[in-house]
Amino acid sequence: MNLRQTIVHVVDDDVSFLTAISRLLRAGRYTVQTFTSAADFLKQLDSETPGCVVADLRMPGQSGFDLQSCLTKAENPVPIIFLTGHGDIPTSVRAMRDGAVDFLTKPVKKSDLFEAIERALARNREENERRSRRREQQNRFDVLTPREQEVMRHVIGGKLNKQIAFDLCTSERTVKAHRASIMDKLGVKSVAEMVRFAEELGIKPTR
């Protein structure tokens, strides 16, 4: 679980707007960092820190869409909310299609902004938990010996011990020992759990 402080990053080239929204968000008990350009924000981005981004659409240099593209390509994408004075339906459709949490227009109601931020933070928590789980699963899988990984791929492919033994030119007893070791190392108690484990990691079965 990531215990780092959750931060709402606000990116807008209007300094007076940054001052006003910072007061509003801090009054709502959010920790806030502000930036006057997408480039400045990306220079200090630590995608391991939980949070979200509230960004303008039209800014000098990199636009809000450029920022969204960079965030999407990051190893740990940070959810983005657009808050702009230049909204229209085609633009909002593009933003949402590309994964934005919301597309809001200035001036924005506090309730609408806070609701969007809560949804963005919830998405970020869920994605961080999913990535953490995947890393843990990968670490467990990596503990398996090459032979155990090979046996696992046969098992999740639905093969019986005697079929696996034949394919690998070994004995059923050896296959049974490998299966027991695999289940112990992965922390699973059934073949069904092993199959789900493999699916989440994208491990392909041997048919």
Side-chain angles (χ1 to χ4, degrees), residues 131-185:
R131 283 190 292 267
S132 177
R133 174 176 168 78
R134 185 181 177 86
R135 281 194 296 267
E136 181 184 355
Q137 290 175 319
Q138 186 64 56
N139 290 337
R140 291 185 195 174
F141 179 74
D142 291 342
V143 170
L144 301 182
T145 66
R147 190 61 156 180
E148 287 171 342
Q149 292 180 9
E150 190 175 18
V151 170
M152 177 180 173
R153 289 188 173 92
H154 281 78
V155 172
I156 64 176
K159 293 186 177 181
L160 301 175
N161 287 345
K162 62 182 179 180
Q163 294 173 311
I164 299 172
F166 178 81
D167 289 344
L168 300 182
C169 299
T170 189
S171 68
E172 283 190 58
R173 179 180 295 180
T174 300
V175 172
K176 287 180 181 178
H178 282 316
R179 286 181 66 149
S181 177
I182 292 165
M183 295 178 78
D184 179 61
K185 290 179 179 178

Side-chain angles (χ1 to χ4, degrees), residues 51-150:
C52 68
V53 179
V54 178
D56 193 8
L57 190 61
R58 296 183 184 177
M59 297 180 286
Q62 292 173 295
S63 69
F65 282 138
D66 293 331
L67 174 58
Q68 183 180 28
S69 178
C70 290
L71 293 175
T72 301
K73 294 173 184 175
E75 183 178 353
N76 300 320
V78 180
I80 187 170
I81 299 162
F82 283 109
L83 178 54
T84 179
H86 307 283
D88 54 38
I89 292 176
T91 304
S92 64
V93 168
R94 175 184 170 184
M96 300 300 289
R97 182 193 64 210
D98 290 345
V101 173
D102 210 335
F103 190 95
L104 305 172
T105 54
K106 301 173 182 176
V108 66
K109 291 182 180 178
K110 180 175 75 171
S111 59
D112 291 341
L113 177 60
F114 283 15
E115 180 184 338
I117 289 173
E118 287 303 313
R119 282 189 281 113
L121 296 179
R123 179 191 292 186
N124 187 239
R125 283 193 297 272
E126 290 169 3
E127 292 176 347
N128 284 341
E129 289 169 3
R130 186 163 51 248
R131 283 190 292 267
S132 177
R133 174 176 168 78
R134 185 181 177 86
R135 281 194 296 267
E136 181 184 355
Q137 290 175 319
Q138 186 64 56
N139 290 337
R140 291 185 195 174
F141 179 74
D142 291 342
V143 170
L144 301 182
T145 66
R147 190 61 156 180
E148 287 171 342
Q149 292 180 9
E150 190 175 18

Side-chain angles (χ1 to χ4, degrees), residues 155-156 179 183 187-197:
V155 172
I156 64 176
R179 286 181 66 149
M183 295 178 78
V188 299
K189 297 180 180 180
S190 67
V191 173
E193 286 186 31
M194 190 188 299
V195 169
R196 285 195 295 272
F197 185 103

